Amino acid sequence: MNTCCCIVGGGPAGMMLGLLLARAGVEVVVLEKHADFLRDFRGDTIHPSTLELMHELGILEDFLKRPHQEVREAGGQIGQDFVKLVDFSHLPTHCRFLAFMPQWEFLDFISEHGARYPNFKVKTQTEVIDLLEDEGRIVGVKATTPDGPIEIRADLVVGADGRHSIVRERAGLEIENLGAPMDVLWFRLSRRTEDFYGVLGRIVSGRIMVMLNRQDYYQCGFIIRKGGIEQVKHRGLESFRQEIAAMVPFMGDRVGELKNWEDIKLLTVVVDRLRKWYRPGLLCIGDAAHAMSPIGGVGINLAIQDAVAAANILAERLSRGTATMVDLQRVQLRRDFPTRMTQGMQVFLQHQVIERVLGSNQQISLPWPLRLFNRWPFLRRIPARVIGIGFRAEHVKTVSREQ
Ligand SMILES: Cc1cc2nc3c(=O)[nH]c(=O)nc-3n(C[C@H](O)[C@H](O)[C@H](O)COP(=O)(O)OP(=O)(O)OC[C@H]3O[C@@H](n4cnc5c(N)ncnc54)[C@H](O)[C@@H]3O)c2cc1C
């Protein structure tokens, strides 16, 4: 098979780039190893900046018909005190809220819209296992499918295959590991109508938990020390249930919904980035270029913003021929700054907050800088901007070639 652009990975970065390139007239194939987009929880946050892109593409109204919840402000409980930290209602975007939408709904929606373009193909159950190289240039990929192995040759291969990217590994791109002191245990607990509303993080002595309100259930993330899963398991499931109930007393009557360890998924937190995102014939974007810490829930946003920047810079080039090293370098130059800023902030918070809380059993009270958020509500606009839009907002500049 020959194509102009072969994208490895049908996650937020790969699907968005595929849609934008196809819309601009470039022939694209997205290869996804799974059979569909239905999979474990991997974050459901659709940021105001992504909703703005939907508006720019003229598909926002359709998008908001999909099941979602809108969150306009968010806060947390630290010790005994509650603090509202984020207020999206002043953002300079059409949607002044963050939408919670299951990731498969989002990917399905993008795939459906991409299907309008005959030059957009998604090949599921196609797992890339290697790259094809010719005189130092990446010229395609090798993949396995239910019908046997295939080779796909392309002018450009894009690695959008996430934080365990085979593309970046096979391309030999150098990874800079920034480290993370924690892992996260994700699980669901039911929500009742009388439960309070809000996206909530709870920090008490020695423990941190986030609870995302998903209408009839809470998606909970329990932060543990890096590599601490075996200790948690050793203490036993009942002890884990009690820890949750001690942190969030109103959950005490439903922690029994965690029947076995299968109900609890481990996210091994990694924060890293590639020194160079490209090689001749190859570019990495999204988590494949920079795995993010879950702090702030911004990984999806950055992945999508990378896709938009890549499409803006490469679409015209690809439709006229092939992207040069200078073009690929421009994509990294454009996205390096927001990546470094966001990771820098995450690493700072990992050391200053997460590490300190997990490493101590002392009572916690609201630090004075956070007290200011309760006194001066306008401060809540700052984290709203960083989370909702990011450090460098991308806009769709590619032109639709739709007839
Ligand atoms: C448990 C968990 C919770 C998270 N919570 C949040 C959150 O609340 N908010 C947020 O913004 N981010 C969150 N994240 C991070 C977020 O999921 C990622 O940052 C984001 O999905 C990155 O998008 P991506 O397209 O770069 O990669 P991915 O979403 O990882 O997509 C990569 C795709 O490539 C496919 N693939 C992998 N290898 C191959 C191969 N060899 N061949 C073909 N296909 C392949 C995968 O199946 C996948 O579909 C969370 C992540 C996890 C794991």
Side-chain angles (χ1 to χ4, degrees), residues 8-14 31-34 39 41-45 47 103 126-128 160-163 166 186 212 267 285-288 297-301 303:
V8 184
L31 307 178
E32 169 53 50
K33 67 179 176 184
H34 289 103
R39 58 197 66 150
F41 172 75
R42 291 192 315 186
D44 293 347
T45 44
H47 301 75
Q103 207 175 105
T126 306
E127 178 166 3
V128 169
D161 50 342
R163 55 226 219 67
I166 181 120
W186 284 105
L212 310 179
L267 163 65
I285 59 168
D287 273 16
V298 291
I300 298 170
N301 196 24

Side-chain angles (χ1 to χ4, degrees), residues 165-199:
S165 167
I166 181 120
V167 171
R168 75 181 190 182
E169 184 214 307
R170 292 300 153 115
L173 295 172
E174 199 187 334
I175 300 168
E176 189 182 345
N177 197 340
L178 305 186
M182 81 280 201
D183 291 328
V184 186
L185 301 178
W186 284 105
F187 52 91
R188 284 179 181 198
L189 290 174
S190 62
R191 182 176 174 273
R192 318 237 161 104
T193 35
E194 66 273 16
D195 291 339
F196 61 87
Y197 186 73
V199 181

Side-chain angles (χ1 to χ4, degrees), residues 40-253:
D40 282 346
F41 172 75
R42 291 192 315 186
D44 293 347
T45 44
I46 306 296
H47 301 75
S49 57
T50 302
L51 295 167
E52 193 66 10
L53 295 170
M54 298 291 172
H55 168 73
E56 290 170 11
L57 290 169
I59 53 180
L60 178 63
E61 220 172 288
D62 273 359
F63 184 68
L64 292 176
K65 287 183 189 149
R66 297 259 171 159
H68 70 280
Q69 282 110 43
E70 297 174 7
V71 175
R72 284 158 212 278
E73 42 186 39
Q77 188 169 343
I78 300 178
Q80 298 302 317
D81 301 303
F82 182 82
V83 59
K84 249 187 211 166
L85 285 169
V86 189
D87 177 2
F88 294 111
S89 62
H90 297 275
L91 288 179
T93 47
H94 282 81
C95 297
R96 292 172 180 177
F97 55 82
L98 187 142
F100 276 128
M101 180 184 283
Q103 207 175 105
W104 60 86
E105 285 281 358
F106 171 74
L107 296 174
D108 212 43
F109 177 82
I110 300 289
S111 169
E112 245 181 61
H113 274 271
R116 298 195 329 219
Y117 306 99
N119 48 331
F120 177 78
K121 290 193 180 64
V122 179
K123 274 181 78 64
T124 52
Q125 291 182 284
T126 306
E127 178 166 3
V128 169
I129 50 166
D130 211 347
L131 299 173
L132 298 171
E133 200 171 330
D134 186 10
E135 295 182 356
R137 183 181 175 87
I138 305 301
V139 292
V141 298
K142 282 186 191 172
T144 56
T145 74
D147 302 325
I150 54 164
E151 287 190 1
I152 299 177
R153 294 194 164 251
D155 297 332
L156 178 69
V157 172
V158 176
D161 50 342
R163 55 226 219 67
H164 304 295
S165 167
I166 181 120
V167 171
R168 75 181 190 182
E169 184 214 307
R170 292 300 153 115
L173 295 172
E174 199 187 334
I175 300 168
E176 189 182 345
N177 197 340
L178 305 186
M182 81 280 201
D183 291 328
V184 186
L185 301 178
W186 284 105
F187 52 91
R188 284 179 181 198
L189 290 174
S190 62
R191 182 176 174 273
R192 318 237 161 104
T193 35
E194 66 273 16
D195 291 339
F196 61 87
Y197 186 73
V199 181
L200 217 63
R202 290 207 168 199
I203 302 185
V204 297
S205 61
R207 297 192 192 102
I208 306 172
M209 183 158 122
V210 289
M211 294 159 55
L212 310 179
N213 177 349
R214 303 309 317 274
Q215 204 78 23
D216 50 354
Y217 66 91
Y218 286 105
Q219 181 71 51
C220 304
F222 192 96
I223 319 282
I224 58 169
R225 281 194 214 197
K226 178 116 238 104
I229 181 67
E230 286 315 318
Q231 276 169 311
V232 175
K233 284 191 173 170
H234 183 72
R235 288 199 293 273
L237 191 54
E238 185 49 30
S239 156
F240 184 61
R241 291 191 198 111
Q242 292 315 318
E243 274 194 66
I244 299 166
M247 267 192 100
V248 192
F250 82 92
M251 290 280 191
D253 59 356

Side-chain angles (χ1 to χ4, degrees), residues 311-354:
N312 287 344
I313 293 169
L314 302 177
E316 191 64 29
R317 298 285 186 175
L318 286 172
S319 55
R320 280 195 280 120
T322 177
T324 63
M325 282 286 274
V326 174
D327 299 323
L328 303 180
Q329 186 187 32
R330 279 180 60 211
V331 178
Q332 175 171 0
L333 285 177
R334 174 90 199 155
R335 297 305 305 158
D336 214 31
F337 167 73
T339 303
R340 283 173 186 271
M341 288 296 287
T342 313
Q343 288 183 329
M345 195 190 67
Q346 292 180 324
V347 169
F348 174 81
L349 290 172
Q350 283 183 173
H351 290 314
Q352 295 302 317
V353 182
I354 311 261

